[in-house]
PDB file of all heavy atoms in Angstrom:
ATOM      1  N   GLU H  98      20.195 -28.449  30.390  1.00 98.00           N
ATOM      2  CA  GLU H  98      20.365 -27.245  31.038  1.00 98.00           C
ATOM      3  C   GLU H  98      20.261 -26.022  30.075  1.00 98.00           C
ATOM      4  O   GLU H  98      20.229 -24.784  30.517  1.00 98.00           O
ATOM      5  CB  GLU H  98      21.697 -27.222  31.846  1.00 98.00           C
ATOM      6  CG  GLU H  98      22.963 -27.104  30.899  1.00 98.00           C
ATOM      7  CD  GLU H  98      23.325 -28.450  30.095  1.00 98.00           C
ATOM      8  OE1 GLU H  98      22.604 -29.481  30.303  1.00 98.00           O
ATOM      9  OE2 GLU H  98      24.285 -28.504  29.383  1.00 98.00           O
ATOM     10  N   TRP H  99      20.184 -26.222  28.815  1.00 98.00           N
ATOM     11  CA  TRP H  99      20.005 -25.171  27.755  1.00 98.00           C
ATOM     12  C   TRP H  99      18.525 -24.631  27.788  1.00 98.00           C
ATOM     13  O   TRP H  99      18.211 -23.623  27.282  1.00 98.00           O
ATOM     14  CB  TRP H  99      20.387 -25.559  26.402  1.00 98.00           C
ATOM     15  CG  TRP H  99      21.904 -25.735  26.163  1.00 98.00           C
ATOM     16  CD1 TRP H  99      22.935 -25.771  27.160  1.00 98.00           C
ATOM     17  CD2 TRP H  99      22.511 -25.915  24.907  1.00 98.00           C
ATOM     18  NE1 TRP H  99      24.096 -26.026  26.548  1.00 98.00           N
ATOM     19  CE2 TRP H  99      23.921 -26.117  25.213  1.00 98.00           C
ATOM     20  CE3 TRP H  99      22.049 -25.929  23.616  1.00 98.00           C
ATOM     21  CZ2 TRP H  99      24.867 -26.217  24.152  1.00 98.00           C
ATOM     22  CZ3 TRP H  99      22.993 -26.095  22.568  1.00 98.00           C
ATOM     23  CH2 TRP H  99      24.383 -26.259  22.799  1.00 98.00           C
ATOM     24  N   PHE H 100      17.749 -25.544  28.242  1.00 97.00           N
ATOM     25  CA  PHE H 100      16.203 -25.328  28.120  1.00 97.00           C
ATOM     26  C   PHE H 100      15.556 -24.728  29.374  1.00 97.00           C
ATOM     27  O   PHE H 100      16.256 -24.611  30.409  1.00 97.00           O
ATOM     28  CB  PHE H 100      15.623 -26.620  27.710  1.00 97.00           C
ATOM     29  CG  PHE H 100      16.017 -26.821  26.247  1.00 97.00           C
ATOM     30  CD1 PHE H 100      17.257 -27.556  26.023  1.00 97.00           C
ATOM     31  CD2 PHE H 100      15.267 -26.533  25.143  1.00 97.00           C
ATOM     32  CE1 PHE H 100      17.617 -27.822  24.698  1.00 97.00           C
ATOM     33  CE2 PHE H 100      15.710 -26.743  23.861  1.00 97.00           C
ATOM     34  CZ  PHE H 100      16.787 -27.397  23.567  1.00 97.00           C
ATOM     35  N   ARG H 101      14.399 -24.245  29.155  1.00 97.00           N
ATOM     36  CA  ARG H 101      13.724 -23.451  30.252  1.00 97.00           C
ATOM     37  C   ARG H 101      13.410 -24.346  31.428  1.00 97.00           C
ATOM     38  O   ARG H 101      13.160 -25.557  31.266  1.00 97.00           O
ATOM     39  CB  ARG H 101      12.635 -22.684  29.703  1.00 97.00           C
ATOM     40  CG  ARG H 101      11.268 -23.533  29.656  1.00 97.00           C
ATOM     41  CD  ARG H 101      10.123 -22.619  29.192  1.00 97.00           C
ATOM     42  NE  ARG H 101       8.905 -23.461  29.232  1.00 97.00           N
ATOM     43  CZ  ARG H 101       7.858 -23.039  30.158  1.00 97.00           C
ATOM     44  NH1 ARG H 101       7.884 -21.821  30.864  1.00 97.00           N
ATOM     45  NH2 ARG H 101       6.725 -23.807  30.167  1.00 97.00           N
ATOM     46  N   VAL H 102      13.304 -23.683  32.625  1.00 97.00           N
ATOM     47  CA  VAL H 102      12.766 -24.260  33.759  1.00 97.00           C
ATOM     48  C   VAL H 102      11.258 -23.853  33.727  1.00 97.00           C
ATOM     49  O   VAL H 102      10.923 -22.723  33.648  1.00 97.00           O
ATOM     50  CB  VAL H 102      13.404 -23.786  35.075  1.00 97.00           C
ATOM     51  CG1 VAL H 102      12.566 -24.287  36.321  1.00 97.00           C
ATOM     52  CG2 VAL H 102      14.781 -24.239  35.056  1.00 97.00           C
ATOM     53  N   ARG H 108      13.267 -28.672  34.062  1.00 97.00           N
ATOM     54  CA  ARG H 108      13.704 -28.246  32.739  1.00 97.00           C
ATOM     55  C   ARG H 108      12.801 -28.912  31.712  1.00 97.00           C
ATOM     56  O   ARG H 108      12.464 -30.135  31.742  1.00 97.00           O
ATOM     57  CB  ARG H 108      15.181 -28.846  32.540  1.00 97.00           C
ATOM     58  CG  ARG H 108      16.205 -28.202  33.403  1.00 97.00           C
ATOM     59  CD  ARG H 108      16.703 -26.868  32.806  1.00 97.00           C
ATOM     60  NE  ARG H 108      17.582 -26.156  33.795  1.00 97.00           N
ATOM     61  CZ  ARG H 108      17.899 -24.980  33.700  1.00 97.00           C
ATOM     62  NH1 ARG H 108      17.676 -24.302  32.587  1.00 97.00           N
ATOM     63  NH2 ARG H 108      18.733 -24.354  34.560  1.00 97.00           N
ATOM     64  N   PHE H 114      13.742 -21.239  25.718  1.00 95.00           N
ATOM     65  CA  PHE H 114      14.972 -21.895  26.318  1.00 95.00           C
ATOM     66  C   PHE H 114      15.422 -20.993  27.549  1.00 95.00           C
ATOM     67  O   PHE H 114      14.676 -20.056  28.079  1.00 95.00           O
ATOM     68  CB  PHE H 114      16.027 -22.008  25.328  1.00 95.00           C
ATOM     69  CG  PHE H 114      16.791 -20.701  25.013  1.00 95.00           C
ATOM     70  CD1 PHE H 114      18.080 -20.510  25.374  1.00 95.00           C
ATOM     71  CD2 PHE H 114      16.101 -19.637  24.322  1.00 95.00           C
ATOM     72  CE1 PHE H 114      18.833 -19.276  24.998  1.00 95.00           C
ATOM     73  CE2 PHE H 114      16.733 -18.432  24.037  1.00 95.00           C
ATOM     74  CZ  PHE H 114      18.140 -18.272  24.351  1.00 95.00           C
ATOM     75  N   CYS H 115      16.624 -21.313  28.042  1.00 97.00           N
ATOM     76  CA  CYS H 115      17.209 -20.556  29.239  1.00 97.00           C
ATOM     77  C   CYS H 115      18.183 -19.596  28.767  1.00 97.00           C
ATOM     78  O   CYS H 115      19.359 -19.974  28.578  1.00 97.00           O
ATOM     79  CB  CYS H 115      17.744 -21.545  30.257  1.00 97.00           C
ATOM     80  SG  CYS H 115      18.534 -20.631  31.656  1.00 97.00           S
ATOM     81  N   PRO H 116      17.917 -18.325  28.697  1.00 97.00           N
ATOM     82  CA  PRO H 116      18.874 -17.289  28.247  1.00 97.00           C
ATOM     83  C   PRO H 116      19.960 -17.013  29.342  1.00 97.00           C
ATOM     84  O   PRO H 116      20.858 -16.279  28.982  1.00 97.00           O
ATOM     85  CB  PRO H 116      18.123 -16.066  27.991  1.00 97.00           C
ATOM     86  CG  PRO H 116      16.798 -16.205  28.665  1.00 97.00           C
ATOM     87  CD  PRO H 116      16.440 -17.678  28.853  1.00 97.00           C
ATOM     88  N   SER H 117      19.934 -17.668  30.436  1.00 98.00           N
ATOM     89  CA  SER H 117      21.001 -17.459  31.474  1.00 98.00           C
ATOM     90  C   SER H 117      22.092 -18.516  31.213  1.00 98.00           C
ATOM     91  O   SER H 117      23.104 -18.571  31.952  1.00 98.00           O
ATOM     92  CB  SER H 117      20.432 -17.668  32.871  1.00 98.00           C
ATOM     93  OG  SER H 117      19.539 -16.506  33.086  1.00 98.00           O
ATOM     94  N   ASN H 118      21.931 -19.479  30.286  1.00 98.00           N
ATOM     95  CA  ASN H 118      22.925 -20.497  29.990  1.00 98.00           C
ATOM     96  C   ASN H 118      23.814 -19.980  28.916  1.00 98.00           C
ATOM     97  O   ASN H 118      23.402 -19.832  27.745  1.00 98.00           O
ATOM     98  CB  ASN H 118      22.250 -21.739  29.533  1.00 98.00           C
ATOM     99  CG  ASN H 118      23.306 -22.868  29.467  1.00 98.00           C
ATOM    100  OD1 ASN H 118      24.019 -22.828  28.526  1.00 98.00           O
ATOM    101  ND2 ASN H 118      23.360 -23.789  30.345  1.00 98.00           N
ATOM    102  N   ARG H 154       8.405 -18.112  29.368  1.00 91.00           N
ATOM    103  CA  ARG H 154       9.556 -17.712  30.097  1.00 91.00           C
ATOM    104  C   ARG H 154      10.243 -18.906  30.783  1.00 91.00           C
ATOM    105  O   ARG H 154       9.707 -19.950  31.175  1.00 91.00           O
ATOM    106  CB  ARG H 154       9.297 -16.543  31.105  1.00 91.00           C
ATOM    107  CG  ARG H 154       8.559 -17.034  32.379  1.00 91.00           C
ATOM    108  CD  ARG H 154       8.263 -15.944  33.293  1.00 91.00           C
ATOM    109  NE  ARG H 154       9.348 -15.084  33.609  1.00 91.00           N
ATOM    110  CZ  ARG H 154       9.349 -14.098  34.529  1.00 91.00           C
ATOM    111  NH1 ARG H 154       8.251 -13.891  35.160  1.00 91.00           N
ATOM    112  NH2 ARG H 154      10.359 -13.422  34.815  1.00 91.00           N
ATOM    113  N   CYS H 155      11.584 -18.617  31.073  1.00 95.00           N
ATOM    114  CA  CYS H 155      12.344 -19.679  31.879  1.00 95.00           C
ATOM    115  C   CYS H 155      12.215 -19.179  33.364  1.00 95.00           C
ATOM    116  O   CYS H 155      12.315 -18.001  33.707  1.00 95.00           O
ATOM    117  CB  CYS H 155      13.777 -19.676  31.483  1.00 95.00           C
ATOM    118  SG  CYS H 155      14.790 -20.688  32.573  1.00 95.00           S
ATOM    119  N   CYS H 156      11.964 -20.144  34.238  1.00 96.00           N
ATOM    120  CA  CYS H 156      11.695 -19.775  35.653  1.00 96.00           C
ATOM    121  C   CYS H 156      12.910 -20.258  36.492  1.00 96.00           C
ATOM    122  O   CYS H 156      12.800 -20.505  37.671  1.00 96.00           O
ATOM    123  CB  CYS H 156      10.463 -20.475  36.145  1.00 96.00           C
ATOM    124  SG  CYS H 156       8.835 -20.104  35.339  1.00 96.00           S
ATOM    125  N   CYS H 157      14.099 -20.383  35.885  1.00 97.00           N
ATOM    126  CA  CYS H 157      15.304 -20.514  36.692  1.00 97.00           C
ATOM    127  C   CYS H 157      15.587 -19.322  37.586  1.00 97.00           C
ATOM    128  O   CYS H 157      15.177 -18.240  37.176  1.00 97.00           O
ATOM    129  CB  CYS H 157      16.511 -20.974  35.844  1.00 97.00           C
ATOM    130  SG  CYS H 157      17.454 -19.631  35.189  1.00 97.00           S
ATOM    131  N   PRO H 158      16.320 -19.495  38.710  1.00 97.00           N
ATOM    132  CA  PRO H 158      16.496 -18.294  39.488  1.00 97.00           C
ATOM    133  C   PRO H 158      17.139 -17.094  38.856  1.00 97.00           C
ATOM    134  O   PRO H 158      16.774 -15.949  39.071  1.00 97.00           O
ATOM    135  CB  PRO H 158      17.356 -18.861  40.627  1.00 97.00           C
ATOM    136  CG  PRO H 158      17.270 -20.324  40.646  1.00 97.00           C
ATOM    137  CD  PRO H 158      16.951 -20.738  39.228  1.00 97.00           C
ATOM    138  N   GLU H 159      18.126 -17.364  37.952  1.00 97.00           N
ATOM    139  CA  GLU H 159      18.797 -16.246  37.283  1.00 97.00           C
ATOM    140  C   GLU H 159      17.845 -15.525  36.318  1.00 97.00           C
ATOM    141  O   GLU H 159      17.704 -14.272  36.278  1.00 97.00           O
ATOM    142  CB  GLU H 159      20.023 -16.774  36.468  1.00 97.00           C
ATOM    143  CG  GLU H 159      20.715 -15.816  35.659  1.00 97.00           C
ATOM    144  CD  GLU H 159      21.322 -14.606  36.502  1.00 97.00           C
ATOM    145  OE1 GLU H 159      21.470 -14.766  37.760  1.00 97.00           O
ATOM    146  OE2 GLU H 159      21.648 -13.557  35.842  1.00 97.00           O
ATOM    147  N   CYS H 160      17.076 -16.234  35.567  1.00 97.00           N
ATOM    148  CA  CYS H 160      16.137 -15.679  34.555  1.00 97.00           C
ATOM    149  C   CYS H 160      14.979 -14.888  35.335  1.00 97.00           C
ATOM    150  O   CYS H 160      14.410 -14.001  34.750  1.00 97.00           O
ATOM    151  CB  CYS H 160      15.467 -16.752  33.696  1.00 97.00           C
ATOM    152  SG  CYS H 160      16.620 -17.348  32.469  1.00 97.00           S
ATOM    153  N   LEU H 161      14.588 -15.424  36.461  1.00 96.00           N
ATOM    154  CA  LEU H 161      13.599 -14.733  37.273  1.00 96.00           C
ATOM    155  C   LEU H 161      13.963 -13.379  37.744  1.00 96.00           C
ATOM    156  O   LEU H 161      13.070 -12.565  38.145  1.00 96.00           O
ATOM    157  CB  LEU H 161      13.077 -15.549  38.407  1.00 96.00           C
ATOM    158  CG  LEU H 161      12.141 -16.813  38.141  1.00 96.00           C
ATOM    159  CD1 LEU H 161      11.750 -17.563  39.329  1.00 96.00           C
ATOM    160  CD2 LEU H 161      10.908 -16.381  37.394  1.00 96.00           C
ATOM    161  N   ASN H 168      14.244 -10.547  29.396  1.00 96.00           N
ATOM    162  CA  ASN H 168      14.781 -11.845  28.913  1.00 96.00           C
ATOM    163  C   ASN H 168      14.739 -11.786  27.400  1.00 96.00           C
ATOM    164  O   ASN H 168      15.693 -12.265  26.735  1.00 96.00           O
ATOM    165  CB  ASN H 168      14.039 -12.984  29.517  1.00 96.00           C
ATOM    166  CG  ASN H 168      14.695 -13.500  30.781  1.00 96.00           C
ATOM    167  OD1 ASN H 168      15.930 -13.458  30.892  1.00 96.00           O
ATOM    168  ND2 ASN H 168      13.880 -13.865  31.811  1.00 96.00           N
ATOM    169  N   ARG H 171      17.574  -9.750  26.132  1.00 97.00           N
ATOM    170  CA  ARG H 171      18.914 -10.483  26.190  1.00 97.00           C
ATOM    171  C   ARG H 171      19.051 -11.298  25.025  1.00 97.00           C
ATOM    172  O   ARG H 171      20.129 -11.426  24.399  1.00 97.00           O
ATOM    173  CB  ARG H 171      19.051 -11.339  27.446  1.00 97.00           C
ATOM    174  CG  ARG H 171      18.900 -10.457  28.694  1.00 97.00           C
ATOM    175  CD  ARG H 171      18.503 -11.493  29.913  1.00 97.00           C
ATOM    176  NE  ARG H 171      19.738 -12.244  30.459  1.00 97.00           N
ATOM    177  CZ  ARG H 171      19.698 -13.357  31.193  1.00 97.00           C
ATOM    178  NH1 ARG H 171      18.427 -13.933  31.428  1.00 97.00           N
ATOM    179  NH2 ARG H 171      20.645 -13.862  31.710  1.00 97.00           N
TER     180      ARG H 171
HETATM  181 ZN1   ZN D1261      16.843 -19.565  32.896  1.00 68.50          ZN
END
Side-chain angles (χ1 to χ4, degrees):
E98 71 286 359
W99 289 12
F100 290 83
R101 80 176 190 120
V102 172
R108 292 276 172 191
F114 74 114
C115 174
S117 297
N118 185 290
R154 71 184 308 187
C155 176
C156 301
C157 83
E159 177 61 17
C160 287
L161 284 179
N168 271 321
R171 295 160 87 196

